[in-house]
Amino acid sequence: MIMLSIAFILGLILCLLFGVPYIDFLQKRTIGQYVLDLAPEAHKKKQGTPTTGGIFIVGAIVLASVIVLALDQRLNAFGFIILITLFFYTLAGFQDDYLKIKGKENQGLTPRGKLIRQIVIAFLPAIFIPLCGEQFTRISFGYHYIDLMWLYPFFAVFIIIGASNAFNLTDGLDGLASSCGVPSFLACAFVAGINGYMEVAIIAAATAGALVGFLKYNKPKAQVFMGDTGSLALGGLLGTLAVMGKFELLLVIIALMFIIETLSVIIQVTSFKLTGKRVFKMAPIHHHFELLGWSEKRIVVTFAICSTIFSLIAVILAYLYFRGLI
């Protein structure tokens, strides 16, 4: 628990420290966000806000994690696989942001190009896990389990890609993805700690701390956006932590707010293609509430509270299972 606290505080401090010079660098070079024409009218004023803030979030996470893992004598292949996966997802997100900035529009990588990169990167932890032993290919249901064996890497890739895209879709309002991400990563830290995967717990705690630090710069009115550099990477990290920490099913509860955002898009697209009608005023669902007249702050606070509740439920379930009570 002490190491988790140190990781959290270190991630927070480093993110705060890295943020100032990086935002100054972006502002001097006018590296800003381009807003889609389809976005709500209120978003037009966000045009030009510095983006790619995920760079200093990830920098804080990696440095804090390496320091604490080294202090706890846990700087091993397990931790390195997670951090390397995070690094490559950051590169993929940065490439997407770079193309948007270079083209001066909100069109970066093609959906296919982005998906291919996500799949290739996700296979790194997905293949590593089965190599650790046959018990790592099992999906637990209380005291029962299913051994997926050679199918497990595909299952893991699905989880990681799904989490990456879900986090990316949620990053649509100032502070929204960060606020929902803090309780989610804290839950990952506690659940992984309960399961005995301290490398996973330390990295998750450092991530939660870094996101709290990032909120200083990303809360309304945002000084910087994390961009796909941050959202793709943090979502990929969320899925990777669940795979490496063996709490794949609990991730459904931990990340339920992100899943709801994703489902709203799926429902909207499916409904429009089949019936020509829209279920929501706009998807993802945070835009629906925005067009209903909710303030940005109200949406962010409400979604963050829901994410906190879901995360607490997941931690309680993990604790009860570990105690043999369920």
Side-chain angles (χ1 to χ4, degrees), residues 70-293:
L71 288 174
D72 202 34
Q73 297 183 339
R74 295 179 185 274
L75 200 57
N76 52 35
F78 223 75
F80 276 124
I81 288 293
I82 298 171
L83 295 177
I84 290 171
T85 302
L86 171 62
F87 174 74
F88 281 121
Y89 265 109
T90 305
L91 284 182
F94 181 77
Q95 185 181 10
D96 191 45
D97 284 333
Y98 174 76
L99 291 175
K100 292 175 184 175
I101 295 166
K102 184 180 179 181
K104 297 184 178 180
E105 58 180 354
N106 201 284
Q107 298 295 330
L109 292 169
T110 64
R112 177 189 238 176
K114 189 183 293 186
L115 182 61
I116 290 173
R117 286 164 175 78
Q118 289 175 303
I119 292 173
V120 171
I121 298 167
F123 264 110
L124 178 61
I127 292 176
F128 174 80
I129 278 292
L131 297 177
C132 296
E134 64 178 36
Q135 71 272 23
F136 286 93
T137 61
R138 297 172 180 173
I139 306 300
S140 298
F141 303 84
Y143 288 107
H144 306 283
Y145 66 85
I146 295 177
D147 193 344
L148 296 180
M149 296 181 288
W150 60 271
L151 287 174
Y152 184 84
F154 300 98
F155 174 70
V157 167
F158 174 77
I159 290 174
I160 295 168
I161 292 174
S164 179
N165 286 314
F167 203 101
N168 183 239
L169 287 171
T170 306
D171 185 32
L173 298 177
D174 294 355
L176 181 59
S178 305
S179 297
C180 292
V182 171
S184 296
F185 281 104
L186 281 176
C188 288
F190 286 119
V191 172
I194 290 171
N195 287 349
Y197 295 93
M198 286 306 298
E199 298 91 345
V200 175
I202 287 169
I203 295 172
T207 305
L211 284 176
V212 171
F214 182 67
L215 275 170
K216 172 178 170 53
Y217 307 112
N218 188 235
K219 64 184 179 181
K221 175 177 181 278
Q223 300 176 53
V224 66
F225 298 142
M226 67 171 66
D228 281 10
T229 306
S231 59
L232 283 182
L234 290 168
L237 176 61
L238 189 62
T240 302
L241 292 173
V243 168
M244 300 291 279
K246 302 307 300 171
F247 54 91
E248 300 96 336
L249 296 183
L250 276 179
L251 183 65
V252 175
I253 301 175
I254 292 172
L256 189 54
M257 202 64 248
F258 301 104
I259 293 172
I260 290 170
E261 290 269 37
T262 306
L263 288 176
S264 71
V265 174
I266 295 172
I267 292 169
Q268 185 86 324
V269 172
T270 303
S271 175
F272 188 75
K273 284 186 175 181
L274 294 178
T275 68
K277 296 180 180 179
R278 293 179 173 85
V279 176
F280 307 103
K281 289 182 177 293
M282 185 177 285
I285 199 169
H286 58 259
H287 288 319
H288 172 77
F289 288 109
E290 198 175 8
L291 293 177
L292 284 176

